Amino acid sequence: MPMRRRVLAAGLAGVFGAAVSGRTAQAAQPPSVRLDQLNLVNLSHVNDPAKTNVFPGDPAFSLETIATIPDDGYYLQFVREGEHTGTHWGAPGHFNTGQPLADAMDPADLFRPAVKIDIRAKAAANADYGVTIDDLKAWEKRHGRIPDDAVVVLWTGWDAKWGTPAYPNTGADGVLHQPGFSIPAVNWLIDTGRLGRQGGTGTDTFSPDVGTDETYTVSKLVYQRHRISLEILANLKALPTTGAWVLAGGPINRKGAGSTATIFGVLPPGVHAD
């Protein structure tokens, strides 16, 4: 079996083992859950030029019908967009020179255990809120330790604002106002191994950074090594707080900074949204 398939199979075995025993699968205990027993939830917005919020400075997004069934015998659109338009994943080389780009990633890099941290109340009170180390520790007291090499997903409530001016939430000075991770919180996730080498962050906003940080410090930290960022996620209500995995798919462009994506939450049997 090719190395990439072996790595991905090992990740699937981890899902199955967690579903069966609640702990890491052991080699002597082969997975007993069939693939058709997994439940998938869609965590992506539909890319629609009439609704898609584009990050300031990114290329405009357009869809043009270039063939129709009456005229050509088939239907086809021409898509023009940046690699990070709408729901997408970002490759490590998006912010860090010398780090892997999309075509250098392994499938297992895009299939990771996930936890969801609900900060909607704090974000509603303060659009510039940055998740703190204390927030993360309080979450762990309630739900258990964040798995190593996990994707830590923030549910800020911004997914409900998609397609409106409230989503970028741009101030009079042109600065975005969106919640994210504080720099100390991300350093803690990295230093303690929770993001590990293959983990990352997820969010329903443009970026893991607080919108007012135009230096993208958090992004530069997250994207080190093989870590990824899942951004502009949708339907986070359907993602369980713990026990799910996330799977990011999309076109792999040569030297891509990531990809527009359909991102799925993968739920083992017995794991349900809250």
Side-chain angles (χ1 to χ4, degrees):
M1 180 185 293
M3 177 59 71
R4 291 190 178 189
R5 291 187 180 179
R6 289 203 301 269
V7 172
L8 185 54
L12 283 167
V15 173
F16 301 148
V20 174
S21 66
R23 64 191 69 173
T24 304
Q26 302 298 318
Q29 298 176 347
S32 59
V33 178
R34 300 195 317 261
L35 289 176
D36 62 2
Q37 292 178 313
L38 298 175
N39 185 31
L40 299 181
V41 295
N42 182 18
L43 303 179
S44 298
H45 294 284
V46 173
N47 270 3
D48 177 356
K51 300 181 71 172
T52 296
N53 296 109
V54 176
F55 188 82
D58 278 7
F61 169 44
S62 64
L63 291 174
E64 178 187 355
T65 300
I66 60 172
T68 65
I69 294 174
D71 292 339
D72 307 287
Y74 62 95
Y75 171 68
L76 188 67
Q77 296 185 104
F78 172 65
V79 183
R80 180 178 174 81
E81 61 183 353
E83 290 178 313
H84 286 194
T85 296
T87 302
H88 64 275
W89 66 272
H94 178 45
F95 271 102
N96 297 307
T97 301
Q99 294 293 321
L101 293 168
D103 55 344
M105 303 295 283
D106 289 324
D109 297 326
L110 306 178
F111 180 58
R112 307 306 312 153
V115 300
K116 181 180 73 177
I117 299 178
D118 185 350
I119 65 162
R120 287 176 297 163
K122 291 182 177 180
N126 178 11
D128 299 321
Y129 188 75
V131 170
T132 66
I133 296 173
D134 286 343
D135 290 332
L136 298 174
K137 289 181 175 179
W139 185 95
E140 289 196 333
K141 284 183 179 179
R142 183 173 181 183
H143 300 288
R145 191 185 188 280
I146 296 169
D148 289 349
D149 292 286
V151 171
V152 180
V153 177
L154 293 187
W155 187 15
T156 73
W158 251 246
D159 51 351
K161 304 174 188 285
W162 182 247
T164 74
Y167 186 83
N169 198 26
T170 308
D173 55 359
V175 175
L176 300 178
H177 294 277
Q178 293 185 333
F181 290 90
S182 71
I183 296 170
V186 165
N187 275 321
W188 182 80
L189 287 169
I190 293 170
D191 293 343
T192 60
R194 285 159 171 81
L195 293 192
R197 179 178 182 273
Q198 287 183 299
T201 52
T203 179
D204 51 5
T205 67
F206 277 133
S207 163
D209 303 273
V210 175
T212 55
D213 182 3
E214 297 180 308
T215 64
Y216 312 113
T217 304
V218 166
S219 287
K220 292 172 183 176
L221 291 167
V222 169
Y223 282 115
Q224 291 173 353
R225 300 167 75 181
H226 257 66
R227 291 189 292 263
I228 62 173
S229 181
L230 308 181
E231 298 170 356
I232 313 182
L233 294 171
N235 193 32
L236 285 177
K237 181 179 180 180
L239 183 70
T241 298
T242 62
W245 286 52
V246 285
L247 175 63
I252 302 298
N253 298 324
R254 182 175 180 273
K255 295 185 177 180
S259 178
T260 57
T262 300
I263 297 175
F264 294 104
V266 182
L267 282 57
V271 175
H272 305 284
D274 307 316

